[in-house]
Amino acid sequence: MKISKLSIKLLRYITPLVVLPSLFLGGFTLTNVTNSTQKQAKLTVSRFVEQQQQKILNYIDIYQSTTKLLSSSPVLNDYLALRYLDSEETKQRLSALQNVFASYTEAYPDIFSINLVDQQGQSNAYLANNLSKPPESYSFFKKVLSSNLRQQYFMVPTDNGTTHLYFVQRVYEIGNSANQATQAGYVIMRVDPSIINYSILESPYDNALNLLFTGEGKILFSSTPLLYAQNLQLQEVEQIHDLADHEELKSINLPSINKLDMISYAVQLSDDYYYLSAIPKDLLYESGQAIKNLTALIVLLSIIALPILVLIVVKRFLINPIELLGEASHRVGGGDLSVYLPNDNKDEVGKLFKDFNHMVKQIRDFQGELEDYKLHLEEKVDNRTFALERMNQQLETAFTQAEQANELKSRFLANMSHEIRTPLTAIIGFTEQLINNRDTKCNQKHLETMLRNSKHLLELINNILDLSKIEAEKLAVECSEVDIQPLMEDVADIIMPMSEQKQLSFAIKYQFPIPKVLYSDATRLKQILIDICSNAVKFTEYGNVTIEVSYDESTQHFHFIIEDTGIGMSQGEIDRVFKPFEQADSTITRRFGGTGLGLCIAKNLAQLLGGDVNVKSEQGVGSQFIVTIAGNYQDNPPQMQDALAERQTKANISQEFADIHVNARILLAEDNPDNQELICLLLNAWGITPDVVNNGAQAVEKALVNDYQLILMDMQMPVMGGLEATQMLRHAAYDGPIIALTANVMKHDIESYLQAGCDATLAKPIDRELLGKVLLKHLQIQAASDSKWDSLLKSEKFAQIAQNYNQKLPDYLAQLQQHYQHGDWESLKALAHSLKGSAGCFGFMNIHSAADQLEQILRTSDENQWHYAMLSLIEAIKYTLTQQTSESIGYSEIRS
């Protein structure tokens, strides 16, 4: 097999790059395997030894608790009281004590015997499960007498190859007094060390050695029976003590018990007993040695095989494709364009072959196109000339449309200029007339004309703004409950005077049954109906205008049909009637005026409300506009009505203010002097004189100092705006109503005002009726709240509560004096805080002020002031008690 120069070069670079990391990784792995094996062994052995240690300690704790429980037995105490008397009662109490011992041996099978001995070691009461006699003495009894511990346990080896486990508990005789007790002896309980034997015999490894021995080296328990009762050498004991102190898994030399190389782990039990577990080193690290050997073999194989495998892979996936690509490039350079490389692979080489094939194909295509251009050059020139002519025609059409749009825009601007200037001319002219001729007799008529033209001008501006919102898709509509009858009555109140002025008849016809309410935007629906009805009146010279109201249950839509006997429209005019800025023709504009926006806005609003506006018309006969609005009942069936309810008389705002006799204090925050004067005039007409400030900072300062029932807050002011002022007042705990005054009435603006803490929003220019309704709503709420509070303070129940509080004042006085005498300043401060709040609620303002002063003074370090404030509060309580006593005596004398 031929090896390329590139392969040899790659092999030269790849070999050290693979071998060196493999050697490093192998050494690192061997080291980690060794360390991990040792750590795992230590973890296994230490966890095992700690588990056995815990088992033994738990076992000892159980029987220490059992011995302690037995020593506190009432039967034992009864026996100790008569143990020196030779009487029948003493024998009965001894028998009862023997029964108690028997119950313990039955409950704990590991208990071999229970012995009650005196301080000389003589047995007073004894019970054994093998019915043996009590031992004459205990080898450990001298240690018991010399120790001050109440509880002890001892492990004692025997000659028969076992170890006895004893638990000793001091016993006290309780005298006549509960606090007097004298030592009466000891309870000695011998227990079978079964759990200890099991713990010694258990082991995580075979051939492991487990020992439990004393601090002097005496072996008490052993997993190897031959080592029982042997003694370790002093040097071995010291090694084990050091091993237990450091809690390490370590190789130590124990020639007296085993000649093998052992790894040991030791822990100290309580009372100078030690537990040792020793495992042969070869056995402990056997699994780790196998892993080390396997790791070394894998590293060796990797060093040999990896360079060869890398070379094979690189040759197959890189060198061979490069050689194939070089050969193909050489053929293309020689003019052979039939070359094709296989591109079955999805990797970068496959993409390279695909791009190479694409490049060769493009070369073939370019050569073919060049030949085609040579053959069909004239035909292509003709086609390009025709395309240019067609493009020129399209440009001429677009230019014509642009000129028409520009002409339409100019016509709209001229029309809008006329419409805006007309009411402005009247407003300016009559204003100058009123200024120059103040004594004229037509002031009322002139003012009404100015008001009418101002409203007309506001309507023009609102229409332009509504259209811009609609085109920007920013106009939002609400969905709330709308009563049909009041809605139509409001429309009639506006259209009826217009009809009467032109001597037209106007009527509303209901096609019963219809729902009582629908769910829509009342303001926008009213705007649609008023715009279309006012158009009907405007274009009707004689006859009538009617509104027919009906409901389609199948579609859940309302139909409002506005019909007139006006001039009508042709089909061409109908096609343009809902387009913005367009009317029937220029003569209509000159004759009737208008901007051409009303019907366009009405149609868009109806579509936003889930319906539409359509028209039927005939020139010289009249027009019929059909307004369709969705009821939005969802799954709830509407409540139907078969007749109209009796019309309610609309209340007069001024009369309502007069009826409720509102004496409110109001703060007006407004930076514009004209607006200040206007709003003050409106409020003065209702008997209210507001305090006026020029910015939000002054409004915050005034509101926090004075008690205002309501604040009218302009949203845009210098120094501090209304939004920031409202937020600051709410953070300062002002809870009175705040009404926002603003010219920004977009939905997101209103939501931001309400979120900042405003209770309602009034749009500029200020509408007198809306201002009155908002003031009535919030001032009536405040008046009702004040009235309820006054009636509560005058009620008999409140008087009884106040009387109960008065009766508690002596207790409070005693607590104050006690806290002060003991220097308990925190309790004294807490009691002063409580008195400050409660006394103020019940009208004892002298106590309230004194308690507040004491609470504040206690926060300082001036103890002289503490004493003075404490005396002030005590005198205030005493004075109040004296006054209450005098009033009670006077009341009793009056009743007598």
Side-chain angles (χ1 to χ4, degrees):
M1 182 181 67
K2 182 181 178 181
I3 301 177
S4 64
K5 295 181 180 179
L6 182 59
S7 300
I8 296 173
K9 187 180 291 186
L10 286 174
L11 184 61
R12 186 182 304 164
Y13 285 105
I14 288 173
T15 300
L17 292 177
V18 173
V19 171
L20 292 178
S22 299
L23 289 173
F24 175 78
L25 181 61
F28 180 75
T29 304
L30 287 173
T31 304
N32 278 349
V33 166
T34 303
N35 294 335
S36 299
T37 303
Q38 293 177 355
K39 290 181 180 178
Q40 182 64 32
K42 178 182 178 182
L43 180 63
T44 303
V45 175
S46 63
R47 186 173 296 174
F48 165 75
V49 173
E50 289 171 358
Q51 288 176 352
Q52 304 310 314
Q53 176 192 20
Q54 192 62 40
K55 284 183 183 179
I56 295 172
L57 292 178
N58 289 342
Y59 187 72
I60 291 172
D61 288 342
I62 289 173
Y63 283 101
Q64 281 186 333
S65 301
T66 304
T67 309
K68 182 178 181 181
L69 180 64
L70 177 60
S71 67
S72 61
S73 171
V75 178
L76 176 60
N77 189 59
D78 292 343
Y79 171 73
L80 292 175
L82 301 177
R83 68 183 184 279
Y84 297 118
L85 301 178
D86 186 12
S87 63
E88 186 65 27
E89 186 177 358
T90 303
K91 295 178 180 179
Q92 290 177 358
R93 293 188 179 184
L94 177 61
S95 176
L97 180 60
Q98 294 281 358
N99 291 335
V100 172
F101 288 173
S103 64
Y104 273 78
T105 58
E106 291 177 1
Y108 300 94
D110 285 349
I111 299 176
F112 285 161
S113 66
I114 303 174
N115 192 7
L116 173 65
V117 300
D118 57 18
Q119 294 185 353
Q120 288 73 36
Q122 300 298 320
S123 176
N124 291 334
Y126 180 77
L127 178 70
N129 56 7
N130 58 359
L131 304 180
S132 61
K133 294 182 179 181
E136 294 181 358
S137 64
Y138 294 98
S139 60
F140 53 82
F141 197 72
K142 290 183 179 181
K143 294 182 179 180
V144 172
L145 294 176
S146 62
S147 174
N148 293 326
L149 299 176
R150 290 193 176 189
Q151 279 189 335
Q152 300 178 70
Y153 72 91
F154 300 93
M155 298 183 188
V156 181
T158 63
D159 297 334
N160 58 0
T162 61
T163 298
H164 289 173
L165 179 60
Y166 293 93
F167 293 91
V168 182
Q169 173 71 43
R170 284 189 182 184
V171 179
Y172 292 89
E173 178 184 356
I174 301 175
N176 295 330
S177 174
N179 296 325
Q180 294 179 355
T182 59
Q183 183 174 342
Y186 301 90
V187 172
I188 302 176
M189 184 181 295
R190 179 189 165 196
V191 178
D192 180 16
S194 57
I195 296 297
I196 301 177
N197 284 322
Y198 295 151
S199 300
I200 294 295
L201 294 176
E202 290 180 354
S203 177
Y205 297 97
D206 296 335
N207 300 325
L209 176 63
N210 297 327
L211 300 177
L212 194 152
F213 53 89
T214 65
E216 293 79 14
K218 185 74 170 182
I219 298 177
L220 301 176
F221 297 92
S222 172
S223 59
T224 302
L226 296 177
L227 299 178
Y228 174 75
Q230 292 187 15
N231 288 313
L232 298 174
Q233 298 177 7
L234 179 60
Q235 184 179 2
E236 295 174 342
V237 172
E238 290 177 353
Q239 290 182 15
I240 295 173
H241 287 181
D242 183 66
L243 190 66
D245 291 339
H246 293 86
E247 294 186 358
E248 293 180 344
L249 183 65
K250 187 177 180 182
S251 176
I252 61 174
N253 188 19
L254 302 174
S256 62
I257 60 176
N258 201 314
K259 303 298 184 181
L260 298 176
D261 190 5
M262 305 287 281
I263 302 295
S264 303
Y265 190 91
V267 294
Q268 182 179 3
L269 303 177
S270 60
D271 297 331
D272 201 26
Y273 293 102
Y274 289 84
Y275 185 98
L276 173 70
S277 181
I279 302 97
K281 186 175 182 180
D282 296 339
L283 178 64
L284 187 63
Y285 297 141
E286 181 180 0
S287 60
Q289 187 63 37
I291 295 175
K292 287 169 61 178
N293 295 336
L294 179 61
T295 303
L297 179 61
I298 292 173
V299 171
L300 182 61
L301 293 176
S302 299
I303 293 173
I304 298 172
L306 278 178
I308 299 174
L309 291 176
V310 169
L311 180 61
I312 293 173
V313 171
V314 170
K315 182 173 178 58
R316 178 180 176 184
F317 292 102
L318 186 60
I319 297 176
N320 291 343
I322 290 175
E323 292 177 350
L324 184 61
L325 183 61
E327 183 182 353
S329 301
H330 183 70
R331 290 174 58 187
V332 171
D336 184 6
L337 298 179
S338 62
V339 176
Y340 180 80
L341 295 177
N343 58 350
D344 299 333
N345 296 331
K346 303 298 182 183
D347 55 9
E348 286 75 7
V349 174
K351 184 179 180 181
L352 181 62
F353 282 9
K354 182 179 179 181
D355 292 341
F356 182 82
N357 293 333
H358 180 66
M359 179 187 70
V360 175
K361 181 177 179 299
Q362 281 187 321
I363 294 174
R364 289 198 302 266
D365 292 342
F366 288 153
Q367 286 185 348
E369 289 179 3
L370 183 59
E371 295 295 330
D372 185 66
Y373 272 116
K374 291 179 181 179
L375 296 175
H376 303 91
L377 181 58
E378 186 177 351
E379 181 181 352
K380 290 182 180 295
V381 171
D382 293 339
N383 291 337
R384 183 59 58 86
T385 302
F386 176 74
L388 290 174
E389 291 177 354
R390 186 170 57 184
M391 186 177 296
N392 288 333
Q393 292 177 357
Q394 293 176 353
L395 289 174
E396 290 178 358
T397 303
F399 182 74
T400 303
Q401 291 176 350
E403 285 185 337
Q404 292 175 351
N406 189 38
E407 182 182 355
L408 179 61
K409 176 183 176 182
S410 300
R411 192 162 63 243
F412 164 72
L413 291 176
N415 186 24
M416 185 57 62
S417 175
H418 171 75
E419 289 295 327
I420 294 176
R421 287 174 181 274
T422 299
L424 277 177
T425 300
I427 295 170
I428 295 171
F430 283 112
T431 302
E432 292 176 348
Q433 181 68 19
L434 290 174
I435 293 173
N436 297 326
N437 301 301
R438 301 190 178 187
D439 298 331
T440 180
K441 298 179 180 179
C442 300
N443 283 353
Q444 183 65 30
K445 182 179 179 180
H446 293 166
L447 289 173
E448 291 175 355
T449 303
M450 291 168 60
L451 179 61
R452 183 173 64 254
N453 281 276
S454 299
K455 291 183 176 180
H456 177 57
L457 181 59
L458 179 62
E459 181 183 357
L460 290 175
I461 295 173
N462 286 336
N463 283 340
I464 297 172
L465 293 176
D466 284 345
L467 183 64
S468 64
K469 294 175 191 175
I470 291 171
E471 290 181 343
E473 297 183 355
K474 294 293 182 65
L475 185 64
V477 294
E478 299 178 354
C479 186
S480 59
E481 185 176 280
V482 182
D483 287 331
I484 296 295
Q485 183 177 345
L487 174 73
M488 299 310 298
E489 289 175 354
D490 289 344
V491 174
D493 289 341
I494 296 173
I495 303 301
M496 184 70 75
M498 299 169 59
S499 302
E500 292 175 351
Q501 188 176 4
K502 296 187 69 173
Q503 296 181 353
L504 302 174
S505 62
F506 176 78
I508 300 177
K509 301 177 181 179
Y510 295 90
Q511 299 296 328
F512 293 106
I514 60 174
K516 185 178 181 181
V517 298
L518 79 157
Y519 295 91
S520 187
D521 191 322
T523 302
R524 296 303 182 182
L525 177 54
K526 189 186 299 185
Q527 179 181 349
I528 295 169
L529 297 177
I530 291 173
D531 282 349
I532 297 177
C533 290
S534 60
N535 270 353
V537 174
K538 182 168 66 172
F539 292 109
T540 303
E541 297 295 335
Y542 60 89
N544 57 73
V545 175
T546 60
I547 305 178
E548 182 180 300
V549 184
S550 61
Y551 176 70
D552 187 348
E553 294 187 10
S554 61
T555 61
Q556 291 191 345
H557 278 69
F558 277 85
H559 298 287
F560 302 89
I561 303 175
I562 297 96
E563 190 170 359
D564 63 65
T565 57
I567 61 176
M569 292 179 288
S570 63
Q571 186 59 45
E573 294 168 345
I574 292 175
D575 295 338
R576 300 195 307 271
V577 72
F578 292 114
K579 294 182 180 179
F581 316 129
E582 294 195 13
Q583 291 186 338
D585 54 39
S586 59
T587 58
I588 296 296
T589 304
R590 291 193 299 270
R591 181 179 174 187
F592 296 100
T595 62
L597 299 178
L599 291 177
C600 174
I601 294 173
K603 186 175 183 68
N604 282 278
L605 289 177
Q607 291 173 349
L608 289 174
L609 297 179
D612 202 353
V613 178
N614 297 297
V615 62
K616 298 178 183 178
S617 183
E618 183 179 351
Q619 279 188 325
V621 177
S623 302
Q624 185 184 73
F625 285 83
I626 300 96
V627 180
T628 306
I629 301 295
N632 295 317
Y633 296 111
Q634 306 301 332
D635 298 330
N636 301 320
Q639 178 184 356
M640 308 298 286
Q641 60 180 351
D642 296 323
L644 296 177
E646 183 178 352
R647 184 169 183 177
Q648 300 292 329
T649 303
K650 294 185 178 180
N652 182 274
I653 294 296
S654 299
Q655 185 61 41
E656 289 191 33
F657 270 98
D659 292 341
I660 65 172
H661 303 291
V662 174
N663 185 17
R665 191 174 183 185
I666 293 178
L667 175 65
L668 171 62
E670 170 64 60
D671 63 311
N672 187 283
D674 298 330
N675 289 341
Q676 290 178 0
E677 184 177 1
L678 173 62
I679 297 173
C680 288
L681 286 174
L682 293 175
L683 296 177
N684 291 338
W686 297 322
I688 300 173
T689 301
D691 292 344
V692 182
V693 293
N694 296 315
N695 56 61
Q698 295 176 357
V700 172
E701 182 180 353
K702 278 270 190 180
L704 295 180
V705 173
N706 301 299
D707 184 17
Y708 292 107
Q709 281 74 42
L710 185 139
I711 299 177
L712 295 173
M713 182 78 72
D714 184 23
M715 288 295 104
Q716 291 187 355
M717 292 182 290
V719 183
M720 179 186 290
L723 196 66
E724 295 85 354
T726 301
Q727 292 173 339
M728 188 174 294
L729 285 173
R730 292 309 187 198
H731 290 161
Y734 176 78
D735 58 354
I738 300 177
I739 311 302
L741 305 179
T742 178
N744 299 328
V745 291
M746 299 291 286
K747 185 177 181 181
H748 66 275
D749 292 323
I750 295 176
E751 290 177 352
S752 65
Y753 302 151
L754 297 178
Q755 188 176 5
C758 294
D759 296 275
T761 304
L762 285 175
K764 292 182 180 180
I766 302 297
D767 185 282
R768 179 177 180 274
E769 294 292 324
L770 290 178
L771 175 61
K773 290 179 181 179
V774 169
L775 292 178
L776 274 177
K777 175 183 177 182
H778 292 283
L779 292 178
Q780 280 181 329
I781 292 174
Q782 188 69 25
S785 176
D786 294 341
S787 176
K788 290 179 181 178
W789 177 249
D790 293 339
S791 61
L792 176 63
L793 294 178
K794 297 176 181 178
S795 65
E796 183 179 351
K797 184 176 181 180
F798 182 82
Q800 181 62 41
I801 295 173
Q803 181 64 26
N804 294 338
Y805 180 79
N806 185 41
Q807 294 175 358
K808 294 178 181 178
L809 287 177
D811 294 336
Y812 290 144
L813 182 60
Q815 292 179 30
L816 285 169
Q817 293 173 339
Q818 182 181 3
H819 292 329
Y820 186 78
Q821 291 172 359
H822 290 85
D824 191 355
W825 308 119
E826 290 299 326
S827 300
L828 184 62
K829 183 167 63 175
L831 183 57
H833 178 78
S834 176
L835 282 171
K836 178 183 70 173
S838 59
C841 291
F842 292 106
F844 303 130
M845 300 312 296
N846 57 338
I847 299 178
H848 167 80
S849 300
D852 182 37
Q853 182 181 7
L854 177 60
E855 182 187 9
Q856 299 301 326
I857 290 297
L858 287 174
R859 299 181 188 274
T860 67
S861 58
D862 190 352
E863 296 187 4
N864 294 328
Q865 294 292 331
W866 294 359
H867 181 70
Y868 174 76
M870 178 66 184
L871 290 178
S872 299
L873 180 56
I874 291 175
E875 291 302 321
I877 296 175
K878 289 180 178 179
Y879 174 78
T880 301
L881 289 173
T882 303
Q883 290 294 106
Q884 295 295 327
T885 303
S886 301
E887 292 177 2
S888 300
I889 295 174
Y891 180 70
S892 300
E893 292 176 352
I894 292 172
R895 293 191 62 182
S896 300

